[in-house]
């Protein structure tokens, strides 16, 4: 869900950036529905992935003896970063234009896909002890399960 959420968010923000670049060149009002569609898509996919899942994962990744303090620090850092993004947006929009800022945010979402793929452990159907062992490196991560598994075929030379 995190990867899908980041992918769709990146596409919608990049599309909105393209719209703003094209709207500067063309004064046509035929495509007025594009910003509404892009923002609605962004908010919808944020709400099903990137918005709630990290908050759920906080109770899974921190050990019980530091969970409260670590969650409080994480929440404070999250809201501090939200303030920074809000301030960054206006300053950058004034400097380089809205389209470039939106493409920058789309790039951050695309980097988020890579981060989730390489760094965020799968926690579905795992106990908290298994997750902690995997994060500590004492329990190697399980192989990703794919719908179609292709086994390597070895051909013996005669």
């Amino acid at each position: 869900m995190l990867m899908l959420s980041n992918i769709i968010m990146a596409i919608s923000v990049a599309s909105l950036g393209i719209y703003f670049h094209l709207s500067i060149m063309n004064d046509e009002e035929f495509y007025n529905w594009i910003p509404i569609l892009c923002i609605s898509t962004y908010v919808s996919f944020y709400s099903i992935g990137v918005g709630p899942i990290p908050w759920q994962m906080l109770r899974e990744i921190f050990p019980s003896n530091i969970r409260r303090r670590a969650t409080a620090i994480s929440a404070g850092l999250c809201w501090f970063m939200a303030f920074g993004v809000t301030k960054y947006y206006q300053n950058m929009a004034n400097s380089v234009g809205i389209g470039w800022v939106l493409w920058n945010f789309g790039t951050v979402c695309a980097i988020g896909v890579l981060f989730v793929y390489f760094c965020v452990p799968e926690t579905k159907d795992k106990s908290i002890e298994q997750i902690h062992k995997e994060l500590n490196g004492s329990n190697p991560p399980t192989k990703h399960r794919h719908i179609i598994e292709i086994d390597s075929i070895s051909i013996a030379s005669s």
Side-chain angles (χ1 to χ4, degrees):
M1 289 302 291
L2 281 173
M3 287 179 56
L4 176 68
S5 177
N6 271 312
I7 289 169
I8 301 298
M9 287 169 46
I11 291 169
S12 63
V13 172
S15 300
L16 191 58
I18 291 170
Y19 170 81
F20 277 108
H21 277 292
L22 294 178
S23 69
I24 291 171
M25 292 185 256
N26 301 329
D27 290 332
E28 297 178 19
E29 303 226 356
F30 180 69
Y31 300 108
N32 287 351
W33 54 271
I34 291 176
I36 294 171
L37 176 68
C38 291
I39 291 172
S40 299
T41 303
Y42 180 89
V43 169
S44 297
F45 278 87
Y46 175 85
S47 298
I48 65 168
V50 174
I53 291 175
W55 295 104
Q56 175 61 32
M57 288 183 69
L58 286 178
R59 74 171 276 282
E60 296 174 345
I61 62 173
F62 292 124
S64 59
N65 59 339
I66 64 164
R67 187 172 297 145
R68 288 182 182 159
R69 182 168 290 154
T71 301
I73 292 169
S74 298
L77 181 62
C78 176
W79 289 112
F80 177 74
M81 297 301 285
F83 170 77
V85 167
T86 304
K87 187 69 176 157
Y88 171 81
Y89 171 80
Q90 191 58 53
N91 291 338
M92 289 303 293
N94 293 340
S95 298
V96 296
I98 295 174
W100 289 104
V101 176
L102 293 171
W103 283 353
N104 186 9
F105 288 158
T107 303
V108 170
C109 290
I111 292 169
V113 173
L114 297 174
F115 176 79
V116 169
Y117 183 77
F118 289 111
C119 299
V120 177
E122 178 61 56
T123 60
K124 183 178 180 182
D125 298 330
K126 291 184 182 178
S127 69
I128 291 183
E129 292 80 23
Q130 289 173 322
I131 295 168
H132 288 180
K133 284 181 182 178
E134 189 174 317
L135 288 172
N136 290 332
S138 59
N139 187 20
T142 57
K143 183 179 174 185
H144 289 284
R145 301 186 81 185
H146 300 283
I147 295 173
I148 301 172
E149 300 245 354
I150 301 174
D151 294 327
S152 60
I153 301 172
S154 59
I155 301 174
S157 58
S158 20

